[in-house]
Amino acid sequence: MQGAQKLMNVFVTRRIPGEGMRILSQCETCKVSLWDSDEPIPRSELLQRVSGAHGLLCLLSERIDAEVLDAAGPNLKVISTLSVGFDHLAIDEIKKRGIRVGYTPDVLTDATAELTVALLLATARRIPEGVEEVKNGGWRSWKSLWLCGYGLSGSTVGVIGLGRIGMAIARRLKPFGVEKLLYSGRTAKPQAAEVEGEFVPLDKLLSESDFIIVSCSLTPETQGLCNKAFFSKMKKTAIFINTSRGAVVNQEDLYEALSSGQIAAAGLDVTTPEPLPTDHPLLTLKNCVILPHIGSATYSTRGIMSELAANNLLAGLSGTAMPKELIL
């Protein structure tokens, strides 16, 4: 009975890859409860199931705010999110209550960078349009300008946010024959020398780049950054790619820029909201490629993220150093 009293309650808000669940199930001091579904947990269910939890493992889709923290009660010691982003967490409220937070940076850098390059190429070379034309009978004969797009060779690429993922994207793009790599952000980055990156003001990046890639964090400064004024400074032949966070972009302004020919095309792996409603105006445009937030979606990456999230949670419960702790 004594051992049972010492068990710590852990609630996992969704099915996660088996690597993480195995680690949690092997913990003899934890009683693990799971919302056993691939779909997000209903809010009312979350508020009920989190009650009395010492540890919470969540996904990006769960808004962990004061209401959830109140429902959990004073036992809650640690929140582990299976994500790099943490804008779904009420950080000020969590900090106030002395709750530790684990997250999963670094491990998805390569997968997200690869997806970004794939999205850029698919958008610039109009690959989804081409696939559709083959399927619907639009491919009748060779035409000299049919489905022409834009190439990377000799181009200028602008990266907004040259952090871990931004650098990984830049490294992958250089072998395509990119002539110039510009980047903007809060400060110049010493590692930019590796990709011959030039630190420039945002306006210069917008006016000179053939491809613009957003890979910055979502902050009060970057929310809505890509708006009407932003798109108006881009070349009419420029391609816009966003794999950071949907809220960095004003989607109404992006629609206007794309439909009016202000910019050539856009590729998005993130939107607001997610999922994007099927009747959203952006989905009517041939020059806009939208993916369902699959930047980190490789089997190995998701498995490693799951392991890391589980290990963060257990370290937080035991009061030891987390592999990846968000410093609040």
Side-chain angles (χ1 to χ4, degrees):
M1 284 298 290
Q2 214 172 9
Q5 288 172 349
K6 290 181 182 176
L7 284 178
M8 287 184 282
N9 295 316
V10 168
F11 180 55
V12 183
T13 64
R14 189 103 67 90
R15 282 183 202 146
I16 62 172
E19 292 90 333
M21 284 308 295
R22 275 191 290 277
I23 290 169
L24 294 179
S25 64
Q26 288 164 9
C27 175
E28 295 178 355
T29 58
C30 291
K31 181 184 175 186
V32 181
S33 172
L34 167 71
W35 175 253
D36 194 12
S37 172
D38 289 325
E39 297 303 318
I41 184 170
R43 181 74 174 181
S44 58
E45 196 73 30
L46 173 61
L47 293 171
Q48 185 182 324
R49 298 285 291 272
V50 78
S51 176
H54 297 87
L56 177 63
L57 196 157
C58 65
L59 278 69
L60 271 174
S61 51
E62 280 75 67
R63 186 164 45 86
I64 309 301
D65 55 14
E67 186 182 28
V68 173
L69 300 175
D70 287 341
N75 286 339
L76 189 62
K77 297 172 66 174
V78 58
I79 297 167
S80 178
T81 181
L82 199 147
S83 63
V84 177
F86 45 86
D87 41 283
H88 57 303
L89 306 179
I91 294 298
D92 289 346
E93 195 67 36
I94 290 166
K95 183 178 181 180
K96 194 192 305 179
R97 299 175 192 227
I99 299 166
R100 295 172 69 188
V101 175
Y103 68 138
T104 60
D106 304 331
V107 296
L108 50 66
T109 298
D110 289 338
T112 303
E114 289 168 6
L115 190 279
T116 303
V117 174
L119 179 57
L120 187 155
L121 292 170
T123 305
R125 296 299 304 273
R126 302 172 67 178
I127 290 172
E129 277 185 80
V131 170
E132 188 55 38
E133 291 297 309
V134 172
K135 288 181 177 179
N136 67 22
W139 181 23
R140 294 190 179 88
S141 66
W142 189 89
K143 306 179 188 81
S144 60
L145 290 176
W146 188 52
L147 288 176
C148 281
Y150 297 91
L152 278 161
S153 182
S155 69
T156 296
V157 172
V159 179
I160 298 172
L162 200 71
R164 286 184 299 266
I165 293 173
M167 269 299 292
I169 293 166
R171 287 190 197 103
R172 284 160 173 78
L173 288 177
K174 286 297 279 184
F176 281 91
V178 170
E179 188 172 301
K180 193 189 290 188
L181 193 130
L182 309 177
Y183 73 99
S184 66
R186 281 193 288 257
T187 58
K189 306 280 188 181
Q191 66 268 30
E194 183 194 327
V195 290
E196 300 175 82
E198 182 187 345
F199 184 57
V200 296
L202 181 59
D203 282 2
K204 180 178 170 70
L205 182 148
L206 295 176
S207 63
E208 294 186 10
S209 297
D210 301 298
F211 300 91
I212 291 173
I213 300 165
V214 182
S215 62
C216 58
S217 302
L218 178 61
T219 65
E221 293 74 37
T222 61
Q223 182 147 6
L225 171 72
C226 308
N227 57 14
K228 187 170 185 172
F230 178 103
F231 297 122
S232 71
K233 293 167 186 168
M234 288 172 58
K235 295 180 178 180
K236 289 190 183 299
T237 53
I239 308 285
F240 174 80
I241 302 293
N242 181 24
T243 54
S244 62
R245 284 287 177 268
V248 173
V249 178
N250 180 312
Q251 290 175 172
E252 289 72 25
D253 291 351
L254 175 60
Y255 174 81
E256 182 59 34
L258 289 167
S259 58
S260 67
Q262 177 70 60
I263 65 173
L268 312 173
D269 185 43
V270 287
T271 60
T272 306
E274 291 182 358
L276 196 66
T278 54
D279 61 353
H280 194 281
L282 283 173
L283 295 174
T284 66
L285 300 175
K286 286 187 175 181
N287 60 342
C288 188
V289 178
I290 300 180
L291 300 178
H293 201 152
I294 54 172
S296 64
T298 67
Y299 290 111
S300 61
T301 298
R302 291 284 170 85
I304 294 166
M305 287 173 70
S306 181
E307 277 182 19
L308 180 53
N311 286 325
N312 280 338
L313 186 81
L314 296 184
L317 289 173
S318 65
T320 56
M322 287 186 193
K324 293 290 178 182
E325 181 166 6
L326 188 61
I327 306 304
L328 304 181

